[in-house]
Amino acid sequence: MEFWRQAGLNYVQFSRICARVVRKSLKPEVRTTALKRDEAHIRVVQWKDGQPIKPGAV
Amino acid sequence: MATLKALSMRLKAVTNIQKITKSMKMVSAAKYAKAERELRPARSYGMGVQTFFDRAEVKQKEEGNKRLIVAMTSDRGLCGAVHTNIGRQIKALVPELPAGTEFKLICIGDKSRAILGRIYPAEMLMHFVDIGKKVPVFGDASAIANEIINLDYEFDHAELYFNIFKSVISYNTTAVPIFSRKNIEEAEKFNLYDSIDENVIQCYNEFALSSLLFFAMKESAASEQSARMTAMDAASKNAGEFCCGEKMIEKLTLTYNRTRQAVITKELIEIISGAAAL
């Protein structure tokens, strides 16, 4: 088992952190455009018993 | 005959709506061009994943009685039947499910939540909002994938419904299966792949899910923008051109001018006959 999975991460989260690190270490002229691709705008709303409950950030 | 004021108000309203739909068409044309440009590289994500599943002959068991349905739409309307088609397919699927099947829904975008959340409130697991305001990025897809991976609902059979972009005027509403790790391990040709352990499969499957979602998001964004462009084009045409066999704005202008003249004539007659009676 990988160390990050033991820490409770899954591959999606792990690779996202890796991607963020790579983007941050880019040369400054390409960094800003690359960092723009890192943002997620989406929000999740969980449902319980047929009712949406308070929205939370992803 | 309608009064002059009512006619002029209606004429103004129709012209304004035409202006709005025209500018909306321009906006969505620009957005569509961008979405289509970005779709091409994004397609390889979906194709790569699907080709692997095809080659390995990964299948889902049909008899699984716990299903998951993911509906991919967006928050924005005024784009023809793009979102309704997704809802319609799912609504058609649900009565076909064998008895005793349990199913759960995940709605991506406000529109599918509005369509499906009202009919199947008990089956809703979650919905996602703020889709379609900005161009979808991989981060959005991995956020959704993350939520699906962390679900505490063990499904046997999962499907993702989205619109696949074909051309400016057409899209296809399709469903692609979402495989679980068990599905991949039970695949017929799984043994052909060398030196993959459990961990690799789990990682790949998680990544495959987010790639598939990213691909579906891009496809549905492109079809939505193209459909909005077509819808807005039709709306401006209807206002400016043919409506009930006649051009609406022209017809209204003609009626307006006739009514105006009639009012002037009436006033003149009143003044003249009043003067004659003196």
Side-chain angles (χ1 to χ4, degrees):
Chain A
M1 193 129 116
E2 247 88 320
F3 66 92
W4 42 266
R5 210 179 274 286
Q6 276 171 348
L9 293 175
N10 56 39
Y11 184 73
V12 174
Q13 289 165 316
F14 169 69
S15 60
R16 224 181 135 185
I17 293 167
C18 291
R20 195 173 299 152
V21 173
V22 173
R23 284 188 183 116
K24 277 189 180 155
S25 54
L26 286 171
K27 283 187 177 170
E29 58 262 34
V30 284
R31 195 194 291 147
T32 26
T33 37
L35 280 178
K36 242 178 234 165
R37 284 194 286 268
D38 188 38
E39 308 163 341
H41 321 285
I42 218 166
R43 278 186 304 125
V44 64
V45 182
Q46 305 278 353
W47 282 54
K48 208 181 171 197
D49 308 320
Q51 284 292 323
I53 47 176
K54 230 172 54 188
V58 176
Chain B
M1 198 180 272
T3 60
L4 202 59
K5 184 141 191 237
L7 267 173
S8 81
M9 268 158 69
R10 189 157 155 66
L11 187 60
K12 222 180 255 171
V14 173
T15 329
N16 275 343
I17 284 170
Q18 194 197 19
K19 267 186 213 155
I20 293 168
T21 53
K22 256 188 190 161
S23 54
M24 278 180 86
K25 190 202 148 195
M26 300 301 282
V27 170
S28 57
K31 281 190 177 169
Y32 157 73
K34 196 178 177 203
E36 209 226 342
R37 201 171 53 238
E38 287 183 355
L39 173 63
R40 249 169 263 154
R43 259 196 181 145
S44 49
Y45 284 83
M47 292 303 154
V49 169
Q50 282 175 324
T51 315
F52 166 69
F53 289 145
D54 265 6
R55 292 283 160 82
E57 293 181 14
V58 183
K59 283 187 194 87
Q60 279 183 331
K61 275 191 223 128
E62 271 309 311
E63 66 264 29
N65 59 357
K66 274 191 157 188
R67 277 174 174 252
L68 178 75
I69 301 170
V70 184
M72 173 73 77
T73 58
S74 89
D75 284 4
R76 299 291 172 95
L78 292 176
C79 49
V82 171
H83 303 320
T84 342
N85 277 345
I86 301 272
R88 198 178 295 152
Q89 285 226 343
I90 293 170
K91 274 188 263 176
L93 171 85
V94 170
E96 306 261 302
L97 295 177
T101 312
E102 190 190 344
F103 75 96
K104 293 282 178 201
L105 280 169
I106 293 180
C107 288
I108 303 171
D110 238 1
K111 287 287 155 185
S112 57
R113 186 210 48 131
I115 298 166
L116 299 166
R118 199 158 6 104
I119 314 171
Y120 312 112
E123 277 78 22
M124 289 284 291
L125 279 178
M126 61 180 79
H127 75 261
F128 294 89
V129 288
D130 285 355
I131 295 142
K133 279 181 195 158
K134 289 196 178 138
V135 180
V137 288
F138 200 83
D140 294 328
S142 46
I144 299 171
N146 194 20
E147 292 292 331
I148 294 179
I149 291 164
N150 291 335
L151 275 183
D152 50 356
Y153 173 69
E154 288 259 336
F155 52 86
D156 305 309
H157 194 284
E159 269 171 330
L160 168 67
Y161 279 83
F162 67 104
N163 289 310
I164 206 160
F165 174 76
K166 275 176 71 192
S167 72
V168 193
I169 45 163
S170 70
Y171 54 86
N172 273 353
T173 311
T174 39
V176 293
I178 297 172
F179 295 110
S180 63
R181 210 174 81 198
K182 218 169 71 196
N183 290 139
I184 299 180
E185 281 163 3
E186 284 167 357
E188 265 177 52
K189 294 197 175 161
F190 180 68
N191 295 333
L192 290 181
Y193 290 87
D194 213 14
S195 68
I196 37 177
D197 53 15
E198 215 175 273
N199 189 31
V200 174
I201 286 296
Q202 192 176 357
C203 291
Y204 183 72
N205 197 34
E206 286 169 358
F207 177 69
L209 177 60
S210 56
S211 311
L212 201 63
L213 282 165
F214 178 62
F215 160 70
M217 275 179 123
K218 285 287 188 193
E219 289 280 355
S220 90
S223 1
E224 184 195 323
Q225 293 302 346
S226 72
R228 180 169 297 120
M229 212 165 73
T230 323
M232 286 303 120
D233 189 35
S236 357
K237 256 192 199 148
N238 280 344
E241 284 180 22
F242 295 95
C243 178
C244 327
E246 274 174 282
K247 291 186 178 180
M248 192 154 169
I249 289 181
E250 275 189 15
K251 192 178 119 194
L252 274 172
T253 323
L254 198 68
T255 332
Y256 175 75
N257 285 340
R258 274 206 193 126
T259 323
R260 195 170 53 90
Q261 277 181 332
V263 169
I264 294 169
T265 318
K266 201 181 128 219
E267 278 174 4
L268 272 175
I269 290 170
E270 273 167 9
I271 293 166
I272 293 165
S273 49
L278 277 176

